Amino acid sequence: MSDSTLTQTPAGASTLRHDIPAGLVVFLVALPLCLGIAQASGLPPFVGLLTGVIGGLVVTVFSPSRFAVSGPAAGLVTIVTAAMETLGSFPALLFALILAGMLQIMLGIARAGRFITLIPGTVIQGMLVAIGLLLIVQQIPVAMGLPEGQGLGALASGAAVLSAPALIIALVALLIMWLWTTAPFRRIPLLAYIPGPLVAVLWGSLAVVFGERWLPEGVMPRISLPAFNSLSELTAQLERPDWQAWQNPAVYMVAVTLALVASLETLLSQEALKKLKEQVPVPSPDKEMRAQGIGNALSGFLGGLPITAVIVRSSVNVNTGARSKASILLHGVLLLLCGLFFSDMLNTIPLAALAAVLLYTGYKLASPALWLMQWKQGWPQFLPFVTTVAGIMLFGMLAGIGLGLLAQLLCSTYKSHVNALQLSSYDDHYVVRIHQNLTFLHNPRLHSLLAEIPDNSVVMVESENAHYIDPDVKALLNEFREKAPTRNIKLDRWPA
């Protein structure tokens, strides 16, 4: 049976034997990420689980993709934390998230998904690298066990003291995740079904449970997930949006930022997913944007985080043999059950272990290999990449992406400008090749090339590829033709 046939098969007895194991593995990968992303955003861990449940259940129902897994994304952590600082509260952010979801729905209705192809790869890569770097900077103090709100500056000044147990837990967790990627570990079949981040989190929990008798109380910050004995207790934990936030002009800029970045990450994940698994019919990016918009609007209403389709969880879903949406729905149900009935177990997870998971995620996003790859492509690619990274780090997500787009536009225009005209010499014959349409902006380049042609030469111009030549360019060519006899230059072929 071909992949294309499989992708058209609805969930049934024949597919559930593949979907159930895949859903379990996706759940194991998503659990530490949902908790860690909420913690990195400065929010209760339950918010991360809630977001994962909405992404796994609601978005999946409306999504055209059979394999894309949606939930909280590490790439939006820095935007969420900056937005809460700008707006002053999490409820105000929730109102902005509802607006962002509505904007995504409208973008989907307007069929704006096709414009994803206009974003250059260098800018996209720069955005991901910047997100990785910001994630690393944000999580290093947590991995060191520094008090909330205190960074490396407080450590250097002596205002804060790092926690050796927290640092050990984080370092061992990082070592575990690295070992999971090495060849000896990858050759063990059983380990292919056990995610490295989950093992790292389990290590942190065991270290806390067995180390409590030797460690003073409070030395190891842990997640704090409330236990729910009734539906009313559950609903009491949900934050509500601040409906009065509409009076704050900043809320609309935050909403636009969330909508654009979440849509961009979702559509990029869909593009990457196409390379892993063929789907027939191909999922519509516009329908996907509408599905994400519904999820984000609901997440904002219930008190969750921004939702995107996430390539890490989606690729795990495909690689573990998923055949239908049943695997994603199962992962959402498992996240819900885990939050409702296993809070005591989750409360043994130290923040340092979750910080290690996010540090590792940040490193993969901003690895030196990615920098080297961009550098090898030449400065027309590297400059927009670096501009995007620096712009996001210094000025924020939208401003950084805008600067990266401007840098790419300038570099592409320059390269196109330079390559529009070419001068080749064959003994005393010179050929001016015009590769594209010319405007007055090409005059300086054309003037410099014509100046290189010596006296007593034979010159011809090839302009078959140019369907338009600006009158200013023609004037410059005519001027050269008029002066050619005085320099004993013979014109063999010349544009009219």
Side-chain angles (χ1 to χ4, degrees):
M1 184 178 292
S2 67
D3 278 353
S4 61
T5 304
L6 287 171
T7 55
Q8 298 180 73
T9 305
S14 61
T15 63
L16 286 179
R17 63 189 181 92
H18 299 283
D19 290 327
I20 290 176
L24 179 60
V25 175
V26 173
F27 158 71
L28 295 176
V29 172
L31 177 61
L33 289 173
C34 288
L35 297 173
I37 289 167
Q39 174 257 318
S41 302
L43 297 169
F46 176 71
V47 174
L49 287 178
L50 172 65
T51 310
V53 170
I54 295 172
L57 298 180
V58 178
V59 175
T60 302
V61 170
F62 293 98
S63 172
S65 174
R66 291 176 173 84
F67 305 115
V69 182
S70 297
L76 293 177
V77 167
T78 54
I79 297 178
V80 169
T81 53
M84 284 195 293
E85 184 177 346
T86 300
L87 300 178
S89 68
F90 181 50
L93 173 66
L94 294 178
F95 180 75
L97 184 54
I98 293 175
L99 295 180
M102 295 171 63
L103 180 57
Q104 283 184 295
I105 294 173
M106 289 188 288
L107 289 173
I109 293 173
R111 303 183 63 186
R114 57 180 181 243
F115 295 115
I116 183 64
T117 55
L118 292 177
I119 307 296
T122 52
V123 175
I124 293 170
Q125 194 63 65
M127 180 189 76
L128 296 175
V129 167
I131 288 170
L133 292 176
L134 289 170
L135 209 53
I136 290 171
V137 171
Q138 186 184 56
Q139 292 304 304
I140 285 177
V142 181
M144 291 181 171
L146 299 179
E148 186 177 352
Q150 294 188 344
L152 297 179
L155 181 64
S157 64
V161 180
L162 65 82
S163 167
L167 185 59
I168 291 172
I169 284 179
L171 290 175
V172 173
L174 287 170
L175 178 62
I176 290 171
M177 288 183 284
W178 173 75
L179 287 172
W180 238 248
T181 64
T182 59
F185 276 70
R186 293 173 67 178
R187 282 196 289 265
I188 302 175
L190 179 62
L191 297 186
Y193 298 96
I194 305 176
L198 179 68
V199 178
V201 169
L202 288 176
W203 141 254
S205 295
L206 291 174
V208 166
V209 170
F210 290 103
E212 277 185 335
R213 66 187 68 179
W214 297 292
L215 296 175
E217 186 176 353
V219 75
M220 184 67 65
R222 294 179 287 176
I223 71 171
S224 178
L225 200 64
F228 305 113
N229 299 316
S230 66
L231 184 61
S232 59
E233 290 184 9
L234 171 62
T235 55
Q237 290 291 326
L238 301 177
E239 288 275 7
R240 294 302 183 196
D242 179 9
W243 301 107
Q244 300 301 316
W246 68 270
Q247 303 175 63
N248 183 356
V251 79
Y252 301 102
M253 180 57 70
V254 171
V256 171
T257 302
L258 288 173
L260 292 181
V261 177
S263 298
L264 182 63
E265 185 162 346
T266 291
L267 296 179
L268 291 177
S269 297
Q270 293 282 31
E271 289 296 313
L273 194 57
K274 290 179 184 178
K275 300 176 182 178
L276 298 177
K277 185 82 169 181
E278 180 186 1
Q279 295 188 65
V280 180
V282 177
S284 164
D286 302 312
K287 290 182 179 179
E288 185 63 41
M289 288 181 70
R290 293 199 293 270
Q292 297 293 329
I294 293 170
N296 276 317
L298 181 61
S299 185
F301 183 75
L302 294 180
L305 287 164
I307 293 172
T308 74
V310 192
I311 187 57
V312 173
R313 278 159 263 180
S314 301
S315 61
V316 168
N317 189 38
V318 168
N319 292 332
T320 48
R323 294 293 185 269
S324 72
K325 290 184 178 182
S327 62
I328 312 173
L329 294 171
L330 175 61
H331 120 276
V333 170
L334 291 174
L335 286 176
L336 178 62
L337 295 176
C338 201
L340 292 177
F341 303 111
F342 299 98
S343 57
D344 290 340
M345 181 184 69
L346 296 180
N347 285 341
T348 63
I349 300 175
L351 297 185
L354 294 179
V357 172
L358 293 171
L359 283 171
Y360 189 71
T361 302
Y363 173 78
K364 289 194 294 183
L365 288 172
S367 69
L370 294 174
W371 291 80
L372 184 60
M373 181 182 69
Q374 294 294 327
W375 173 258
K376 288 181 176 179
Q377 292 181 4
W379 69 264
Q381 301 296 311
F382 189 71
L383 182 60
F385 165 76
V386 172
T387 301
T388 305
V389 174
I392 292 174
M393 297 284 288
L394 296 175
F395 306 113
M397 187 65 67
L398 278 187
I401 292 175
L403 288 172
L405 286 171
L406 178 61
Q408 183 64 74
L409 179 62
L410 292 175
C411 289
S412 298
T413 301
Y414 175 77
K415 289 296 291 183
S416 175
H417 180 82
V418 170
N419 294 326
L421 294 161
Q422 181 184 10
L423 177 64
S424 303
S425 61
Y426 308 91
D427 297 327
D428 63 339
H429 284 66
Y430 287 81
V431 181
V432 179
R433 292 186 173 90
I434 301 176
H435 297 293
Q436 63 186 52
N437 297 340
L438 299 183
T439 69
F440 69 94
L441 295 175
H442 294 94
N443 266 6
R445 170 71 173 166
L446 179 59
H447 187 275
S448 64
L449 291 181
L450 294 177
E452 294 179 18
I453 300 174
D455 297 345
N456 307 311
S457 302
V458 177
V459 181
M460 62 182 296
V461 175
E462 294 182 355
S463 58
E464 290 81 3
N465 294 325
H467 301 290
Y468 171 78
I469 297 180
D470 196 271
D472 286 337
V473 178
K474 289 183 177 180
L476 184 59
L477 291 172
N478 289 334
E479 181 183 346
F480 183 86
R481 179 173 58 184
E482 292 170 1
K483 295 181 178 179
T486 64
R487 299 175 55 192
N488 196 28
I489 292 178
K490 181 182 178 182
L491 304 181
D492 189 28
R493 187 189 303 171
W494 209 254

